[in-house]
Structures are given as structure tokens and as C-alpha cells.
Amino acid sequence: MSYDVVVIGAGIVGAAVVHRLRQLWPEGRFLVIEKAQGPAAHQTGRNSGVIHSGIYYKPGSLKATLCAKGREQLYAFAAAENLPHERCGKLILATDPTELPRLEGLYRRGLENQIPGIQLLKPEDIPHYEPECRGVGAIYVPVTGIIDYRAVTQRLLERGGAQVVYGAEVTHLMRAPDGYRIHTSQSARFDTRYLIACAGLQADRIARLDGLRPPLRIVPFRGDYYELRPEARWKVRNLIYPLPHPTYPVLGVHLTRMTDGSVEAGPNAVFAWAREQYSRVGFSLRDTVEALTFSGTWRFFIRHWREGLAEYRRAFSKRLFWESLRRLVPSLTLEDLVPARSGIRALALTQDGQFWDDFYFVSQERSLHVLNAPSPAATAALALADAIVEKAFATWNLSISAPTVGP
Ligand SMILES: Cc1cc2nc3c(=O)[nH]c(=O)nc-3n(C[C@H](O)[C@H](O)[C@H](O)COP(=O)(O)OP(=O)(O)OC[C@H]3O[C@@H](n4cnc5c(N)ncnc54)[C@H](O)[C@@H]3O)c2cc1C
């Protein structure tokens, strides 16, 4: 059978793309090819489960605009589909007076990004929101929420009505006169007129299979989590974050209530020796060689050696992890924390060692590649999918209202 569009990757971005395609093209024949045995197996199913507000991002960037739009689309989708979620709000804390100018800067950015209802709190206001929290100031962000992204992904795939093939890794993309022949590890082949690749941690490799020379390399960064023992969950009502690091591309270890009532702490961010192995000692020769023979990785290490070293020490020390968290919630004890799961972020680095700080997708004659979809891509997925499909259709000369008349 031949398809109109094949989507590579059943993470939340691929699922949202199929969902959007179905809205625009009810009769379309769509296929999702996923190498894992189920949906959301990598970044999507291993993330923090937070619906971000959009406060952090550069005003006018794709991250800022698509996060704000996607956040509300996601709340509406979750409500309509009865999926576990809650608009519970979060606190961003300054714990040291030297952080106050940065806190105020972030608050101003939030106003510029038109984040609804944000408030700058004095120290005495903080316990009203989080009784166990202490800080010298805070921002309260009421539109932040929590959700089960695995459930969202599953439901988007169902509503997208695509056929999904699991356990099939795309290994070759052969150009044909009217599209692609896609080869997979199952030795199955699929013919399609168009292709959209949403391959997360493998995005650069899939782009290279399609003859592109992306200006970035995916370098994996692992994030480890701890969980609070059930008896200690009362210490955290909702979401408690530190101020993000000014230059290192992470939000800092935070405390997150999950939709099942558990409370997680993390994630940290350390260079990982494999793109898709989740233990602290996971190793892939191919992934390591590709990361360490790329000059951008070394330039990134040199630029951020201090933060990288601190993250590495903390990755192997429960006490250091606890000390970071205790700055937010002083009553947390070392015994409250139990080691939990890990996730791996796809950090897109340029040759000169900068991280690519916005969503990035490129289209060509019959394909579109999502090359960078970092946090808050899960929050933004529905809006991101709108933008991806719009760009793809424009490049492919497909009319949005009647795409079947295209070539
Ligand atoms: C630790 C962590 C915490 C995060 N927290 C949040 C948060 O709270 N809120 C938020 O909005 N964002 C968060 N993010 C970011 C968010 O999870 C990701 O941006 C988002 O999930 C990216 O989705 P994706 O579909 O692009 O990638 P993925 O979920 O990684 O999916 C890509 C899929 O492509 C498949 N694939 C790859 N190569 C092939 C191939 N050759 N053949 C077939 N299939 C292939 C993979 O198996 C995978 O299933 C977090 C990320 C991490 C890692």
C-alpha cells in the first residue's frame, strides 16, 4: 500500500502532526513508523509532565509563541478527551538575595510574553502557596499545569486515525519519482508521497538519511529523577522551581507533583554516553564517537565546564542533589528522596558549541524534518504541529483546504 504522508516517530510531536493532518485531510492515508514497541518511549514518556506557561522564552521566538498557544490547545484537548491533567500553578523561587535582579528580569519577561496572572511574591507570601517553601522572593505562575504526556500521545494517535507500525526502525530513505520508498529494520518497505520526520534524539541522523546536512548535531544529556517517599509528599503542594541557570540550557532541579499524586525531584543534566539508554552507566559506542568527534560538543564543554562538572558530581551524589532541593524546601530530608527514573534530552549543538535555542524544522521538495524540538515541545505540541504542517503544505504546494488536489 502507498501512503500520502509517512510520519517517523510516535513521540508527542509525531502524534500531534498526524492529528493535525487528519483534521486538514480527512481522507488522507497516513502511516506512523516507530522503532520502539509503543508510543512515547523516549523524551515524551520520560519527561517531567509539566504544561509550561511560556515565561522563560525569548519574546517573539517560536518557543514563546507556540508554547503559549499550544498550552491552551493542550488544556482544551485534555479536557475534551478527559485525560488526567490539572492547571495547578507553580512557584519560581529566588533563594538568595543576589538572585533577586534575575527574578525581577524573569518576571518582566513573563509580562512581555503575556503570561496570564503572574505575580511577584514577597518572602512572606510564599508559604501561602507552598507552606514548606522558603525564599527571598518568588514568581507565582498560575497557568502552569501537570499532565500525563503518554496518555496525550496515545490519544492523539487514535484521533489521528493513522496506521502505526511499532518495532520498525527507519534505516534508509530512497527517493522515488513521486515520493519515497522507506526501508525499515523489519525489512518491510513503505511507499509514500510525503514524509515528516519527528525523530527526537535521532533527528539529525534521519535528516542525513534524507540527504540533508543539518547545521547541528544531537548530543544526549541525561536527566535523573528522585521521588519523594509517600510520607513526605505533603511537603510539596504543586510545582516548585529554582531560577533557571542564566546560560546553561536547563531549568534546574525542581519538585513536581505528578498526575498520579507522586512527587518527583529533578532532572539534572549530564552528558550521556548513549542517546537512548537510561541507566547511569548506559553506553553506546556509535553515540559516544559521534558526540565526541563533533567539535561543537567540545566547545560546549569548554564554555560550560563549571556547570558540567557540578552536574556530574551531583549525578553521583544523593547528598548534593538533596542540597539543591533543600534550598527550595528546607524541611526535606535526605531520607525523603528515593532514586527514580531518568530521561534523556536531545540537545542540538552547533559546530561552534552553541545550543540551538528554538524549535527548528526544515522542509524540502517532499519532506519536512523536525531537527530541534526541546522543552517545551510537549506543551507546545499541538501548536507546533499546526506550524509544521502549514510549512510542509506550503513547501509541497498542497492546498490546506483541499490537499488531495496536490501532486
Ligand atoms: C527529562 C526531560 C524532561 C522534560 N520535561 C518537559 C516538560 O515537563 N514539559 C514539556 O513541555 N517538555 C518537557 N521536555 C521536553 C519534551 O519531552 C520533548 O521536547 C518532547 O517530548 C519531544 O517530542 P518528540 O516527539 O520530538 O521526541 P520523542 O518523544 O523523543 O519521540 C521521537 C520518536 O522517534 C522515534 N524514532 C527515532 N528514530 C527513529 C527511526 N529511525 N525509526 C523509527 N522511529 C524513530 C523514537 O523511538 C521516538 O519514539 C522534557 C524532556 C526531557 C528529556
Side-chain angles (χ1 to χ4, degrees), residues 243-263:
L243 267 175
H245 191 278
T247 56
Y248 201 59
V250 290
L251 295 181
V253 294
H254 45 266
L255 291 147
T256 313
R257 178 164 63 81
M258 309 299 280
T259 51
D260 65 2
S262 60
V263 177

Side-chain angles (χ1 to χ4, degrees), residues 4-7 14-31 160 196 385-386 389 392-393 396 398 403:
D4 292 311
V5 184
V6 163
V7 173
V17 162
V18 160
H19 178 259
R20 182 63 179 151
L21 284 169
R22 180 61 66 209
Q23 287 175 332
L24 295 172
W25 194 344
E27 305 307 323
R29 289 158 303 166
F30 308 132
L31 173 73
I196 299 184
D386 292 355
V389 173
F393 278 24
W396 303 339
L398 292 180

Side-chain angles (χ1 to χ4, degrees), residues 8-14 33-36 41-44 46-50 52 149 168-170 198-202 206 225 267 276 343-345 373-379:
I8 302 176
I12 196 166
V13 177
I33 304 180
E34 168 57 58
K35 68 181 166 56
H42 293 294
Q43 295 178 95
T44 302
R46 294 175 164 273
N47 71 15
S48 298
V50 174
H52 286 296
Y149 281 116
E169 179 172 358
V170 171
C198 308
L201 285 148
Q202 309 291 339
I206 296 288
Y225 291 84
E276 294 174 350
I344 296 184
R345 302 174 185 82
S375 185
T379 304

